[in-house]
Amino acid sequence: MTAAALTSPAAAACTVTTVRTEATGELLDRLPVEGALSWVRRGEGLVGCGEAARLEVSGPRALEEAAAWWTAYTDGLDTDDELDVAGSGPVLFASIAFDPAAGTSVFVVPQVVLGRRDGVAWLTTVGDVDPRNVLHPEALDDGPPPRLRYADGALDPATWCAAVAEAVTRIDAGELQKVVLARDLLVSADVPLDPRRLLRRLAARFPDCWTFAVDGLLGATPELLLRRSGRELSARVLAGTAPRGAGADDERLAAALIGSAKDRAEHALAVDSLVRALEPYCAALDAPEEPDLLTLANVRHLASDVTGTQRRTGARGRAGLLELVGAVHPTAAVCGTPTPDAADVIAELEGMDRDRYAGPVGWLDSRGDGEFGLALRCAQLVGEDSARLFAGCGIVAGSDPAAELAETQSKFAAFQAALEG
């Protein structure tokens, strides 16, 4: 365990106050220059700034330790919450490493949170803090877009395609059914990158995605790993991707995706892995027999919405959201099947440290409610003027390396549009 520290010596004695607010405008317009925290979809969700407390943790019991830390922290708070809804009161933003045992996961309690749901807005403050830095943030400089330089990440395209070909060979040999291989792309700008500008552009282009920011990891994810509301659980599984086209070609690509045996098999593996992980915790669990199409600005995905009700008794009935997240992650959508074999192939062939890419990202409150997506379509800011972009593909029998490379380019384009627009 590392850096399990409250940033304020008096944090454990803080008063947390949540009040209804008439604050108008877009949540993302309220973000500060530094330390932006976000979980927003279609103009609703949560944004935060400042750090009342912070935890960085790694190791085989990372999520268990984080859950215990959050419980101990909230037990020491004096909370005055006039709304008492999901996301009001004390909130913890989280960005969990793809491999929590090896990587470092980051948890931040903001000093100030502005939330909105179903047209109702609220403001939460932790301790004696002036919320005006959220309600009246520094103006965004809408100057010309930066000049950008791109460079290969851990693997150049040809080497990455060779890794895909090797993965297909192992799948054909029966060593595993699916593996997700990702690649990174490095970008540097001639001016500092403003995360607020990037988040606004992502939200405008991908309104049906969850626009997130935690500790410099920014993105717009279409995949909801797990939502908990009381005992009601829900998830959106995505696997199987096709690019968009123009006119009739767009409809042809959509029809080809929904009818693709390869993509449907990949999707079924992802749904099955989530269902198997959640079943022990649920009194009821429902997964659709057929996937739907999720249409985004740059790609389409096969999508399935899974819903369940958590048990009321036993150890699994008492499981909190972080335990549930740890149980379902990594799904076949970001790792593969069987999970241990796919993880070994990723470690051998991918050639890079995923860090928090493809890990759970989201928030939870002191009631145990919250939402976690998967950190996809994202970039990690590196210093003021550089970033590391990520994109991955599900590799199954019949996968073509060149087609998978093209799919990563389509996924990179989501963040590149925010950088270049």
Side-chain angles (χ1 to χ4, degrees), residues 151-155 160 182-186 350-353 388-391 412:
D152 292 332
L155 300 181
W160 189 81
R183 52 188 290 251
D184 58 344
L185 182 67
L186 308 180
E350 200 169 73
M352 70 174 191
D353 178 6
R388 184 180 176 216
L389 283 60
F390 303 91
F412 279 139

Side-chain angles (χ1 to χ4, degrees), residues 20-27 30 114-116 119 121-123 135:
R20 190 184 300 265
T21 178
E22 300 303 320
T24 58
E26 295 294 330
L27 289 176
R30 308 292 183 171
L114 188 62
R116 182 182 294 121
W122 63 89
L123 177 70
L135 298 179

